[in-house]
């Protein structure tokens, strides 16, 4: 009777195991393949913004940002094609709408932009510059401002006060012994002040010079002191004029108020001036705004300093970019919000920004080392 019992147990075990044997084994999903590692081709959006992105003959692109992207893409093995957009706003809208995977140009990281898109590690730190005319009445305004300043008027009054005091003392010492200083206080004081002014300018102190011993001692002291005083005064005025000329029409943000100021519509400069409540006029391109400055329809134009410096140096020799920064700006690569590619780009950028290659790239385009880069 053992075989039937054994057979019954075997059949029971087979019945329990049959459903498990009939269940198909789960299929493990293949890991997602990142773009560029044999994956899809990325669309890289850009716009012309010399010297960061420039379109050459035959449609080839170059510039600081473009060369940086090529270098990083090669490191990460990314495949891509470049798509051109006419304006910064169009490029940003395409990035938000995921029509492009990354945006590479001279894109400033701002709070408004950061709300609905991502940016990589900044690769270049700069600021907003101000361009003005180097000709016409505007170039004389800093000089006029210096002569009307309180410090200048104070220095002139102090100098005249010292000369008047010396004139009074000369009159006191000479009124009884020297006829030109006699004949009443008004005539004597006038003669003393006039001689003091002549002695101060070294124009002819011997004429009607003092005859008394105290008067001659005072005259010698005053003539020596006046040489030092005048030299110091002239040096101070020269230094002030040089400083004002270097600073130019605009020395700070407050100087923009009351001037006719232009910006590129929709740019970070427009956002900044709007936040600072500085009235401005928008232009489609920086070239349009700079032409308005050149034609004296604007007093100043505000734009990204490196971009405007490049344009002025090549196309607008009658203009100058002042040596001030109105606001700090950081350039970075833009991506759609939440794009997983950002972390890989950040690591590659941090490595690249500390390399000799990056130093040489900046020197090739700007003639300077990477002293103001996001990686430093």
């Amino acid at each position: 009777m053992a075989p039937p019992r054994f057979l019954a147990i075997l059949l029971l075990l087979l019945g329990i195991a049959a459903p498990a044997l009939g269940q198909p084994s789960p299929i493990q999903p293949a890991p997602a393949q990142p773009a560029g590692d044999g994956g899809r081709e990325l669309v890289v959006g850009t716009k012309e913004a010399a010297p960061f992105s420039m379109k050459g003959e035959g449609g080839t692109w170059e510039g600081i940002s473009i060369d940086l992207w090529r270098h990083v893409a090669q490191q990460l093995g990314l495949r891509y094609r470049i798509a051109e957009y006419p304006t910064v706003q169009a490029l940003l809208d395409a990035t938000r709408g995921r029509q492009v995977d990354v945006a590479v140009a001279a894109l400033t990281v701002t709070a408004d932009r950061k709300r609905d898109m991502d940016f990589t590690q900044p690769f270049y730190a700069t600021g907003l510059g101000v361009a003005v005319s180097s000709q016409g009445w505007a170039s004389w305004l800093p000089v006029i401002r210096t002569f009307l300043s309180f410090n200048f008027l104070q220095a002139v009054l102090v100098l005249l006060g010292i000369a008047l005091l010396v004139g009074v003392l000369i009159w006191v010492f000479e009124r009884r012994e020297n006829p030109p200083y006699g004949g009443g206080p008004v005539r004597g004081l006038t003669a003393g002040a006039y001689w003091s002014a002549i002695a101060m300018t070294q124009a002819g102190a011997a004429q009607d010079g003092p005859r008394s011993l105290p008067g001659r001692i005072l005259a010698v002291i005053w003539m020596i002191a006046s040489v030092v005083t005048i030299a110091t005064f002239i040096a101070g005025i020269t230094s002030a004029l040089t400083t004002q000329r270097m600073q130019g029409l605009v020395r700070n943000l407050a100087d923009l108020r009351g001037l006719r100021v232009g910006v590129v519509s929709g740019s970070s400069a427009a956002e900044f001036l709007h936040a600072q409540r500085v009235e401005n006029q928008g232009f489609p391109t920086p070239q349009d705004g700079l032409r308005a400055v050149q034609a004296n329809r604007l007093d100043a134009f505000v734009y990204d300093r490196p971009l405007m410096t490049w344009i002025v140096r090549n196309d607008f020799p009658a203009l100058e970019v002042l040596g001030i920064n109105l606001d700090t700006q950081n350039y970075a690569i833009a991506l759609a919000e939440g794009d997983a590619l950002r972390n890989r780009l950040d690591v590659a950028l941090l490595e690249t920004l500390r390399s000799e290659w990056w130093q040489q790239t900046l020197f090739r385009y700007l003639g300077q080392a990477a002293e103001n880069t996001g990686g430093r």
Side-chain angles (χ1 to χ4, degrees), residues 21 42 55 74 77 117 177 182 236 271 308 313-314 317 322 327 336:
L21 293 173
L42 298 177
K55 192 174 185 179
Q74 184 177 9
M117 62 193 310
E177 300 183 21
E271 294 177 11
M308 186 159 60
R313 185 172 59 191
N314 289 280
L322 303 179
D327 186 41

Side-chain angles (χ1 to χ4, degrees), residues 48-69:
E48 287 202 83
F52 287 83
S53 53
M54 301 177 289
K55 192 174 185 179
E57 297 180 359
T60 59
W61 286 89
E62 63 176 352
I64 297 173
S65 299
I66 299 296
D67 289 0
L68 176 62
W69 167 256

Side-chain angles (χ1 to χ4, degrees), residues 150-213:
F150 174 76
N151 290 336
F152 177 80
L153 295 177
Q154 186 181 43
V156 171
L157 290 176
V158 169
L159 193 61
L160 292 176
I162 295 174
L164 182 61
L165 176 61
V166 172
V168 171
L169 293 176
I170 290 294
W171 170 69
V172 170
F173 295 146
E174 299 295 317
R175 58 182 175 169
R176 292 186 177 90
E177 300 183 21
N178 203 335
Y181 300 97
V186 174
R187 182 174 181 272
L189 286 172
T190 303
Y194 179 72
W195 180 88
S196 176
I198 291 177
M200 180 177 63
T201 59
Q202 309 294 311
Q207 182 180 359
D208 297 331
R211 296 179 181 178
S212 66
L213 179 61

